[in-house]
Amino acid sequence: MATTDESASDFSTRVTQQLVGGVAGIGVAMGMETGLFEMMIAMGESRKTSQEIADLANMKERYVREWLGCMAAANIVNFDPTEGTFWLPSHRSNIMELKALAMTAPVLQGGFFQVADCFRKDGPRGVAYGKYPKFDELMAMTQGVFFQDHLIQEFIPSMPHLHQQLKNGIVVLDIGCCEGVSTTTMAKEFPKSHFHGLDLSQPALATARDTASVMGLSNVEFVHADISLMPPDWTDKFDYLFMNFVLHDLAYPAKALRDMHRVLKPGGTLSVVETTAHGKLQDNLAVPDRDSVVVDYMYSLMNCMPTSLYHEGGAGLGSMWGRENARAALEEAEFQVISMTDVPSESGLHFMCQKATKA
């Protein structure tokens, strides 16, 4: 972190290190996207030339050689100049655990120049979601660990009444389900309950349907629909609504919340997970982990905000809109916010809400 006595030279050095790290990060992402890191992990610490690695990976040696040069310069892959060989030390074989973070910059880069145009007063309102290739895959990676390792094991059991309802059999709506990882995870665990996954991305829904088919699930279906315009026959249909890092992305969040209130049964439960951000910048800058704040703000600037503002009258909340504003929006939609609890496994904040029972 910069200090008040930082010189111009200190500042230049600090920012240069950040920028060079960002460039090296693109190389790391390339190794993950192409499968080269997985190949080198499978090699163990066996030392091979660029040609041998290219042959093993069925790739062009010239490209592999240049990538290896980048990774050797970044001190990620080791290089023996005498033998002309490369290898990945065993203590670095966990690099694939960082794939979601590594792929963030390349995926967000899809809309970079369009977002830059949006800054101009006479520029476009925002950027179409389709300008971000593989964004659905990135979200599946980013949230996948939580869905697979914590959703059933910790998150659902933290609500004992809902947990028992799911075991007994209820109807659930997973809002903004993307590729359906959360939906299929819950459907597999609770076979007596029926799950609907809803999203606007047709490619993501196609992946979700394929996954459910492979898993042999008969208690799940996926629906292409706008969250703010759900089917009219869904009124009071669902016992539980689940929404994970979606609300701040919406063009019309207030309208969506009203429709969510409509489709939830009286007495039903709503889980909304949002970022842990506060509404004031100074509160976000005061947190110990400034790195996560940087990432969240960049997600917001490069995707969440512009894809919302792309629509006429879009709210453009962004991921850093703040817990205070999120709670106010939920209460404005007539949800009762029962609790707000941290979700450490995905750096989120869980708003557990209920719809009041009818008098």
Side-chain angles (χ1 to χ4, degrees):
M1 183 183 299
T3 60
T4 54
D5 59 353
E6 180 183 54
S7 68
S9 177
D10 292 336
F11 170 75
S12 180
T13 298
R14 176 168 61 85
V15 175
T16 297
Q17 290 174 341
Q18 290 177 322
L19 294 173
V20 171
V23 173
I26 296 174
V28 172
M30 186 62 72
M32 294 175 171
E33 178 68 13
T34 58
L36 276 165
F37 272 125
E38 291 176 318
M39 174 60 65
M40 296 196 75
I41 291 169
M43 284 166 44
E45 294 201 17
S46 175
R47 305 182 181 197
K48 297 187 181 297
T49 65
S50 59
Q51 184 64 64
E52 290 172 326
I53 294 172
D55 290 343
L56 283 171
N58 193 29
M59 295 180 184
K60 300 182 182 77
E61 186 276 339
R62 184 65 190 92
Y63 281 90
V64 172
R65 188 194 338 151
E66 207 72 1
W67 175 79
L68 287 166
C70 173
M71 292 299 93
N75 196 28
I76 294 173
V77 168
N78 281 7
F79 173 60
D80 181 349
T82 303
E83 300 293 332
T85 54
F86 301 85
W87 72 99
L88 186 69
S90 59
H91 72 278
R92 300 175 190 166
S93 62
N94 62 348
I95 192 168
M96 293 302 295
E97 295 174 9
L98 303 174
K99 185 174 182 179
L101 180 59
M103 295 305 299
T104 296
V107 172
L108 293 182
Q109 175 69 19
F112 180 86
F113 293 105
Q114 291 88 348
V115 173
D117 287 340
C118 293
F119 277 71
R120 302 194 323 269
K121 285 188 176 180
D122 62 347
R125 290 190 306 267
V127 180
Y129 186 83
K131 295 294 183 180
Y132 300 87
K134 298 200 173 185
F135 192 81
D136 291 333
E137 293 181 26
L138 178 61
M139 289 299 95
M141 281 190 288
T142 301
Q143 301 171 13
V145 173
F146 168 69
F147 292 151
Q148 294 168 359
D149 298 339
H150 301 279
L151 178 61
I152 298 303
Q153 299 87 339
E154 301 165 9
F155 185 83
I156 296 296
S158 73
M159 299 173 280
H161 178 67
L162 174 67
H163 194 196
Q164 188 59 52
Q165 285 183 311
L166 287 164
K167 290 179 179 179
N168 294 340
I170 56 175
V171 185
V172 178
L173 178 62
D174 187 355
I175 303 172
C177 66
C178 196
E179 295 187 347
V181 180
S182 50
T183 325
T184 53
T185 298
M186 290 188 287
K188 180 181 178 181
E189 180 70 15
F190 303 109
K192 292 183 179 180
S193 290
H194 191 85
F195 297 83
H196 292 68
L198 182 147
D199 207 278
L200 270 177
S201 171
Q202 291 281 27
L205 290 173
T207 299
R209 293 184 182 106
D210 289 344
T211 299
S213 178
V214 170
M215 294 174 67
L217 298 173
S218 59
N219 62 330
V220 61
E221 59 184 282
F222 292 96
V223 180
H224 178 256
D226 188 329
I227 299 169
S228 59
L229 292 169
M230 289 183 276
D233 60 349
W234 278 11
T235 299
D236 294 343
K237 178 180 178 69
F238 299 98
D239 301 277
Y240 179 49
L241 307 184
F242 176 73
M243 175 184 265
N244 193 69
F245 289 114
V246 172
L247 185 57
H248 63 260
D249 288 326
L250 301 179
Y252 312 110
K255 187 177 180 181
L257 285 171
R258 288 195 296 270
D259 220 33
M260 288 162 59
H261 190 274
R262 175 181 66 83
V263 303
L264 184 63
K265 289 181 181 179
T269 302
L270 163 67
S271 285
V272 172
V273 180
E274 279 289 311
T275 67
T276 59
H278 293 273
K280 294 182 179 180
L281 174 60
Q282 57 266 38
D283 294 330
N284 294 325
L285 297 183
V287 303
D289 182 14
R290 184 75 73 85
D291 289 347
S292 65
V293 176
V294 172
V295 172
D296 286 342
Y297 266 116
M298 287 310 299
Y299 259 107
S300 188
L301 172 64
M302 295 300 297
N303 179 269
C304 306
M305 190 179 74
T307 55
S308 173
L309 291 172
Y310 175 77
H311 302 275
E312 183 71 40
L317 298 177
S319 62
M320 303 301 284
W321 65 315
R323 61 180 69 192
E324 305 88 351
N325 295 320
R327 176 166 191 153
L330 288 162
E331 291 176 340
E332 179 67 22
E334 299 186 354
F335 287 107
Q336 296 176 325
V337 180
I338 306 301
S339 64
M340 295 166 55
T341 55
D342 288 332
V343 187
S345 52
E346 65 168 357
S347 300
L349 187 66
H350 174 208
F351 297 82
M352 189 184 78
C353 310
Q354 283 188 331
K355 176 179 176 177
T357 55
K358 294 178 179 179

